[in-house]
Amino acid sequence: MASQLRVDKILPVDGAPTNGGGGIIQVQMGTFTDRFTTNSSTMVDTGLSVSITPKFATSKILVNVSLGSFANGTGLKRAFMNIVRDSTNVIVGDADTGHEVTAAVNTRASGYASGTQIPLSFMVLDSPATTSAVTYKVQASRGSDSGDVYLNYAEVNDSLSGNTASTIVVMEVSA
């Protein structure tokens, strides 16, 4: 019996043609398995980042962030996160000027024990409009609260908490 190959179409290695939309051209991933702590009231880099060099200026970049655990410390009720491309916020809430962040967690109310760990995921489609290398990274801050923000572990590091890993995956998608 002779072999047969049947396909609806063959997609080029560079993705779907312009206006064909949706073809994945390349995928890059960054991991962060260490512990991160900050008590900064302004955004600082967490160490979770990935670089990608788009093949086409018309491409979109699908950014998928998965934080193994995001936590707060004593006296802190909130923790904030931003996704940035180089030094530009990729997406932020803008309903109230001066409070623009990508995501916020309120891990406990006053009086509750510290050490709550919350996994946090976020996905956004970005348009960098370049063929130069860009770096996507996650930043964190405590905002106006006092205390520390933790990534990949909790303030109370006991048998009830765990050390986690965080990832950032970027995919170049043909426009």
Side-chain angles (χ1 to χ4, degrees):
M1 178 170 182
S3 297
Q4 292 183 2
L5 173 64
R6 296 178 187 208
V7 297
D8 291 333
K9 69 170 107 170
I10 296 175
L11 190 62
V13 72
D14 289 335
T18 301
N19 298 323
I24 302 298
I25 299 169
Q26 63 173 313
V27 178
Q28 301 293 332
M29 181 170 117
T31 60
F32 184 71
T33 59
D34 203 358
R35 294 175 169 188
F36 168 82
T37 306
T38 186
N39 65 1
S40 176
S41 61
T42 59
M43 289 292 172
V44 296
D45 294 349
T46 62
L48 178 57
S49 67
V50 65
S51 294
I52 188 168
T53 304
K55 290 189 177 190
F56 306 101
T58 56
S59 294
K60 308 283 187 189
I61 304 294
L62 183 62
V63 182
N64 187 353
V65 172
S66 179
L67 304 183
S69 66
F70 203 42
N72 60 3
T74 305
L76 186 66
K77 297 181 190 123
R78 298 167 295 170
F80 301 101
M81 178 198 83
N82 272 348
I83 301 171
V84 297
R85 174 187 5 95
D86 297 326
S87 60
T88 302
N89 286 325
V90 174
I91 184 171
V92 294
D94 59 5
D96 185 12
T97 302
H99 299 99
E100 299 88 352
V101 296
T102 301
V105 295
N106 186 342
T107 59
R108 67 185 171 90
S110 182
Y112 282 79
S114 58
T116 302
Q117 292 179 270
I118 296 177
L120 181 63
S121 295
F122 206 90
M123 188 180 294
V124 63
L125 191 62
D126 186 35
S127 301
T130 186
T131 56
S132 297
V134 292
T135 299
Y136 290 91
K137 55 190 173 182
V138 173
Q139 297 180 328
S141 84
R142 64 171 169 78
S144 60
D145 283 350
S146 61
D148 295 326
V149 173
Y150 300 95
L151 176 61
N152 289 346
Y153 77 113
E155 177 184 38
V156 177
N157 197 20
D158 58 20
S159 62
L160 300 177
S161 62
N163 295 318
T164 61
S166 297
T167 60
I168 182 169
V169 177
V170 290
M171 293 179 255
E172 182 179 0
V173 181
S174 58

